[in-house]
């Protein structure tokens, strides 16, 4: 059987990555709009309603517009923007988030693709909150560094073109220091947190890849938490998952001196680490992923596969 898929916003960074993962698959027939038809509301409306799955790779307002244009009950929308990530009538597209969540995605007609930073943060935090090791009111701080492709075409141009009028020449920069980053609500809600986390994102001079880290004081945790108990809790939560893994103590030890944000590039993998010093009462949780993979296009394709009843890993690695 062939399934019709429309990527609304195909020419953007995420859209291009999704297209690359789909266009060689025999069971997928891409609905393509060329030239000015990509911005023609009626052409888009027709494509949205003719598809089995439409993936929205658009700014927030444009995604809301596309959702309002989709009237077919047989079309599933997967929204890669932030527009619907905390909406009660959309299903959050993180299949590994809870036991049974994959089944919810399979039945959904409106799926909000997780953000890249929240994928790492929620992947680390939610199992510990649900398991009673991390209090829901813990004063969480999330630190992260991403490749510059996460900023879309505008930031890519500023990082890669030294003649750009707003060229960025730094090797590294922090941003969103007004503490109003749009991913925070998503982290709090789907992380199961009562208290709004502090989020400190940054960008490095590499195109893609990401590390998200959460430092904790062991003595402020619950249930007699230790480094090993935290690692075991994460390992149990993600046991059997194809794309989420928890590093062994030996794997973590091998990366104590250097955790490479680019190590999982071009994959849909999310690897979680527990770095701890029991003597100092400290632990740092870390998530390693490709911000364009499990953090964007890979996750969208994974969700599409689940919705269509296909092999979850089809077109992914």
């Amino acid at each position: 059987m062939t399934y019709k898929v429309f990527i609304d916003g195909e020419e953007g960074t995420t859209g291009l990555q999704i297209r690359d993962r789909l266009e060689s698959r025999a069971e997928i027939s891409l609905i393509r709009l060329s030239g000015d038809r990509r911005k023609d509301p009626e052409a888009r409306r027709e494509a949205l309603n003719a598809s089995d799955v439409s993936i929205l790779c658009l700014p927030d307002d444009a995604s809301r517009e596309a959702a309002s244009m989709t009237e077919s009950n047989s079309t599933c929308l997967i929204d890669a923007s932030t527009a619907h990530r905390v909406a009660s009538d959309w299903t959050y597209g993180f299949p590994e988030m809870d036991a049974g969540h994959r089944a919810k995605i399979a039945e959904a007609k409106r799926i909000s693709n997780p953000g890249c930073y929240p994928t790492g943060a929620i992947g680390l935090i939610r199992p510990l909150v649900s398991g009673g090791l991390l209090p829901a009111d813990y004063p969480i701080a999330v630190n992260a560094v991403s490749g510059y492709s996460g900023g879309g075409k505008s930031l890519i141009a500023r990082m890669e073109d030294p003649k750009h009028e707003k060229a960025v020449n730094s090797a590294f920069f922090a941003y969103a220091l007004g503490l109003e980053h749009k991913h925070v609500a998503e982290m709090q809600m789907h992380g199961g947190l009562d208290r709004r986390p502090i989020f400190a994102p940054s960008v490095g001079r590499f195109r893609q890849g990401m590390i998200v880290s959460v430092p904790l004081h062991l003595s402020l945790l619950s249930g007699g938490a230790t480094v090993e108990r935290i690692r075991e809790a994460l390992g149990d939560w993600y046991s059997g998952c194809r794309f989420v893994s928890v590093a062994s103590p030996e794997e973590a030890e091998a990366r104590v001196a250097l955790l490479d944000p680019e190590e999982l590039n071009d994959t849909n993998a999310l690897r979680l680490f527990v770095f701890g010093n029991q003597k100092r009462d400290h632990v740092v949780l870390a998530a390693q992923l490709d911000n364009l993979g499990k953090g964007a296009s890979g996750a969208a394709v994974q969700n599409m596969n689940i919705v269509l009843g296909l092999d979850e890993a089809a077109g992914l690695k």
Side-chain angles (χ1 to χ4, degrees):
M1 184 173 178
T2 301
Y3 299 95
K4 293 178 288 184
V5 176
F6 174 50
I7 306 169
D8 196 1
E10 179 183 333
E11 298 304 313
T13 306
T14 299
L16 289 170
Q17 292 261 331
I18 293 171
R19 187 187 70 187
D20 288 346
R21 287 167 165 82
L22 297 183
E23 60 185 354
S24 64
R25 291 177 55 177
E27 76 276 31
I28 302 298
S29 174
L30 289 175
I31 298 174
R32 309 287 290 273
L33 301 180
S34 59
D36 292 341
R37 296 188 74 235
R38 290 201 303 270
K39 296 183 179 180
D40 181 337
E42 288 310 310
R44 289 175 57 226
R45 184 189 301 274
E46 181 180 346
L48 286 162
N49 288 285
S51 67
D52 295 298
V53 175
S54 282
I55 305 175
L56 310 181
C57 302
L58 303 164
D60 287 6
D61 287 344
S63 285
R64 294 186 186 98
E65 178 188 49
S68 71
M69 293 164 60
T70 307
E71 299 163 344
S72 170
N73 293 327
S74 61
T75 298
C76 174
L77 294 182
I78 299 175
D79 182 10
S81 81
T82 63
H84 300 103
R85 290 181 186 159
V86 295
S88 60
D89 55 343
W90 285 66
T91 300
Y92 195 60
F94 192 164
E96 301 89 354
M97 187 170 76
D98 271 324
H101 196 70
R102 188 176 279 99
K104 294 179 182 178
I105 291 172
E107 298 298 322
K109 290 299 183 183
R110 297 289 186 271
I111 299 166
S112 185
N113 221 48
C116 50
Y117 292 123
T119 295
I122 294 163
L124 293 166
I125 292 167
R126 187 180 179 100
L128 303 183
V129 173
S130 296
L133 291 175
L134 180 60
D137 63 350
Y138 190 100
I140 289 286
V142 178
N143 304 297
V145 59
S146 173
Y148 57 79
S149 57
K153 288 185 175 181
S154 174
L155 183 58
I156 291 171
R158 293 175 62 193
M159 296 294 285
E160 294 185 348
D161 181 3
K163 296 182 180 179
H164 192 285
E165 62 178 357
K166 294 184 178 180
V168 178
N169 299 311
S170 303
F172 173 95
F173 65 89
Y175 72 103
L177 294 173
L179 303 178
E180 290 289 351
H181 196 286
K182 61 184 179 179
H183 285 171
V184 174
E186 181 183 353
M187 291 180 189
Q188 181 177 358
M189 173 181 281
H190 300 296
L193 299 171
D194 294 338
R195 186 192 298 261
R196 179 181 170 89
I198 294 174
F199 178 43
S202 57
V203 172
R205 186 168 286 285
F206 53 94
R207 200 173 198 279
Q208 65 193 83
M210 173 173 284
I211 292 173
V212 180
S213 62
V214 179
L216 301 169
H217 290 272
L218 285 168
S219 61
L220 299 181
L221 303 185
S222 306
T226 64
V227 173
E228 191 51 42
R229 284 198 66 188
I230 291 170
R231 185 180 289 114
E232 288 176 358
L234 291 172
D236 290 344
W237 191 270
Y238 296 110
S239 177
C241 290
R242 300 177 76 161
F243 294 114
V244 183
S245 62
V246 180
S248 68
E250 293 75 21
E251 289 175 307
E253 181 63 28
R255 291 168 175 81
V256 164
L258 193 158
L259 185 59
D260 184 356
E262 300 180 89
E263 188 173 356
L264 297 180
N265 280 3
D266 301 316
T267 77
N268 193 50
L270 170 63
R271 184 182 294 146
L272 308 179
F273 293 86
V274 181
F275 299 104
N277 187 323
Q278 202 80 33
K279 176 182 175 182
R280 300 298 186 186
D281 188 44
H282 292 164
V283 64
V284 172
L285 313 177
Q288 186 185 46
L289 66 155
D290 181 355
N291 62 294
L292 296 181
K294 184 63 169 168
S297 57
V301 172
Q302 182 183 358
N303 286 320
M304 183 207 74
N305 288 337
I306 293 170
V307 166
L308 296 177
L310 304 173
D311 178 357
E312 186 176 341
L316 300 170
K317 59 182 179 179

